[in-house]
Amino acid sequence: MSVDLAENAVVTDGGAMEAASPTLRHLQAVAEFGQYALRETDLDALLHEACSQVAKGLGVPYAKVLEYRAAEGDFLIRAGVGWRPGVVGSVRAPANRDHAPGLAMLTRQPVVSGDLAADPRFNPTDLFREYAVAALVNAPILLDTGVFGVLEVVTPERRPFSTPEVTFLQNFANLIATVIHRRRSEESLKAALAEREILLRELQHRVKNNLYVVTSLLGLQANRIGDSAARGALEEVQHRVHAIGLAYGLLQNSQDISHFDLGGYLEALCRTLIGDDKEGGVTLALDCEPAQVTLQIGVPLGLIVNELVSNSLKHAFPEGRGTIFLKVRRDADQISLEIADDGKGMARPAGAGGPSRPRSLGLKLVEALALQVQGILTHPPAERGVRHHLIFTVPND
């Protein structure tokens, strides 16, 4: 729907002319601008649309938004309709009482001049002379933090703007102020979130680096210990710390600051463990579906895999050759994790049926970590080697 300014009538989509009162045009302009503001995010586009709707609503050929620039002490034409190319974004206007925009800003009230040539308050600008401006209305755009600028309409004919028309323009200026405030609030929120993300990533980076330092120190200390049992215990702790540091490293490099891919994390962890195997005859078979998890879920799972894979490397392959299998599946809000090997197998934990053996510290840790993620840990029978199966529900973050 568009407005024919000369005939002061509304043109429907079918092209028929129907009389439109000023009040109807005003309501239509506000409604159309409101709908536009809901889907548009660019401020310059919004200000241009506001000028277009105000010009149609008041039946004038020219409208503009002048943004006040405190540092320069003037106005810049930020948006407008009807003007020649080069006016918007370039032409400035004085911000003093001798010009209507300046008076509107200083008084924070609408300023009206129905016959500019006969109005002793104002000195015409070069732009007004170029367009032979004869009448104008200015409405200040007021924000909580001060004056953004002025919404102005002008016409080359003398015109006694009515009180409803002036009220319409001021209400539209208030609507523009609301839109500007919302846009600035959104920008501030985005900036705050971006700063928070930077700080959080920096914290994750520092935690990762500190954990890697601890890992290196543990490795150095282990190399200096002659007792194999003590050295093995330190290496186990080293691998656990490394598993935590690896999770922080992946989270730091993830696009999502709070989630990372579980399969990629466990693969990197397993390859590190297998790469540390001195024999070098163990291979890794992966079958991992994408599954995003938080640090609170990923770290316990990494520690579980660390313990179970380390256990396989220690006990499953007396000849130094074999395969470790890792499978990750996601079904809706559930994730299943399976770690297996094709080694010699092992005695079942006490209470699990069959030949029993005492539970090691590593298996106790695995059971505790499974409870931490509220998962169900089982050890299904396998034709060769061992199988461990964990299923848990991913919390709604």
Side-chain angles (χ1 to χ4, degrees):
M1 184 174 288
S2 61
V3 176
D4 185 315
L5 303 181
E7 297 297 330
N8 192 29
V10 176
V11 182
T12 66
D13 292 336
M17 302 292 291
E18 53 186 26
S21 68
T23 300
L24 178 59
R25 294 202 315 274
H26 298 170
L27 291 175
Q28 178 188 352
V30 171
E32 290 186 4
F33 179 70
Q35 292 176 357
Y36 185 84
L38 289 175
R39 63 178 184 270
E40 180 58 61
T41 58
D42 181 71
L43 182 57
D44 287 326
L46 284 163
L47 295 179
H48 177 82
E49 179 67 15
C51 292
S52 177
Q53 292 297 340
V54 163
K56 290 195 296 183
L58 290 176
V60 297
Y62 309 111
K64 61 178 179 284
V65 171
L66 300 100
E67 181 178 8
Y68 177 61
R69 305 189 302 175
E72 292 80 1
D74 63 10
F75 290 104
L76 175 69
I77 299 180
R78 178 74 180 267
V81 293
W83 311 99
R84 60 174 168 78
V87 171
V88 174
S90 299
V91 175
R92 304 174 185 182
N96 53 48
R97 289 180 176 271
D98 294 336
H99 298 84
L103 184 59
M105 181 189 71
L106 294 171
T107 62
R108 300 197 173 200
Q109 296 292 330
V111 172
V112 184
S113 181
D115 186 355
L116 194 59
D119 195 329
R121 296 176 298 170
F122 307 124
N123 296 320
T125 63
D126 292 340
L127 186 65
F128 277 12
R129 293 191 189 95
E130 179 182 347
Y131 284 85
V133 173
L136 57 80
V137 185
N138 284 256
I141 302 172
L142 304 175
L143 305 176
D144 293 340
T145 55
V147 179
F148 173 82
V150 173
L151 175 62
E152 180 182 70
V153 296
V154 302
T155 177
E157 294 86 21
R158 291 191 298 256
R159 174 171 168 177
F161 288 96
S162 66
T163 298
E165 289 176 325
V166 175
T167 300
F168 162 72
L169 190 69
Q170 184 59 67
N171 288 340
F172 217 102
N174 296 340
L175 182 58
I176 293 173
T178 301
V179 171
I180 293 173
H181 175 74
R182 189 183 72 181
R183 290 291 177 266
R184 288 184 173 179
S185 297
E186 291 174 351
E187 290 172 359
S188 297
L189 180 59
K190 289 178 181 178
L193 290 174
E195 183 178 2
R196 174 182 175 273
E197 180 174 342
I198 291 172
L199 292 174
L200 186 54
R201 289 193 185 276
E202 176 62 23
L203 176 61
Q204 292 167 351
H205 177 70
R206 293 185 181 185
V207 170
K208 178 199 70 174
N209 286 347
N210 290 339
L211 289 171
Y212 284 170
V213 168
V214 173
T215 301
S216 298
L217 291 175
L218 288 170
L220 292 173
Q221 189 64 37
N223 291 334
R224 297 180 61 182
I225 295 178
D227 183 84
S228 60
R231 184 171 60 252
L234 272 181
E235 288 175 348
E236 288 180 359
V237 175
Q238 181 187 18
H239 288 153
R240 291 165 186 161
V241 175
H242 173 77
I244 300 173
L246 184 61
Y248 274 94
L250 290 176
L251 190 60
Q252 178 196 356
N253 296 322
S254 173
Q255 290 185 348
D256 184 344
I257 195 171
S258 60
H259 293 75
F260 58 90
D261 180 55
L262 177 62
Y265 167 51
L266 298 181
E267 176 184 355
L269 179 59
C270 290
R271 293 197 184 282
T272 299
L273 293 171
I274 291 176
D276 289 342
D277 180 45
K278 304 299 187 297
E279 300 297 328
V282 178
T283 59
L284 179 65
L286 297 169
D287 185 9
C288 299
E289 293 181 351
Q292 295 290 312
V293 295
T294 64
L295 195 68
Q296 290 72 22
I297 293 294
V299 167
L301 295 177
L303 291 172
I304 288 173
V305 170
N306 177 80
E307 297 302 321
L308 296 178
V309 171
S310 297
N311 214 35
S312 293
L313 289 171
K314 287 179 184 178
H315 306 293
F317 311 113
E319 297 180 359
R321 305 187 67 83
T323 303
I324 294 176
F325 304 89
L326 173 66
K327 180 186 293 186
V328 175
R329 289 287 182 270
R330 174 152 195 173
D331 183 12
D333 62 345
Q334 285 195 328
I335 294 179
S336 64
L337 173 64
E338 184 171 291
I339 308 100
D341 65 56
D342 59 358
K344 68 175 185 178
M346 59 192 301
R348 301 181 68 81
S356 65
R357 60 174 174 81
R359 289 185 303 165
S360 67
L361 174 61
L363 289 179
K364 290 179 181 179
L365 179 61
V366 167
E367 292 171 357
L369 291 169
L371 290 175
Q372 183 175 330
V373 299
Q374 299 181 353
I376 300 174
L377 178 65
T378 59
H379 310 279
E383 293 183 5
R384 290 189 60 186
V386 296
R387 289 176 61 200
H388 310 279
H389 185 265
L390 175 68
I391 186 169
F392 60 95
T393 300
V394 181
N396 293 320
D397 303 307

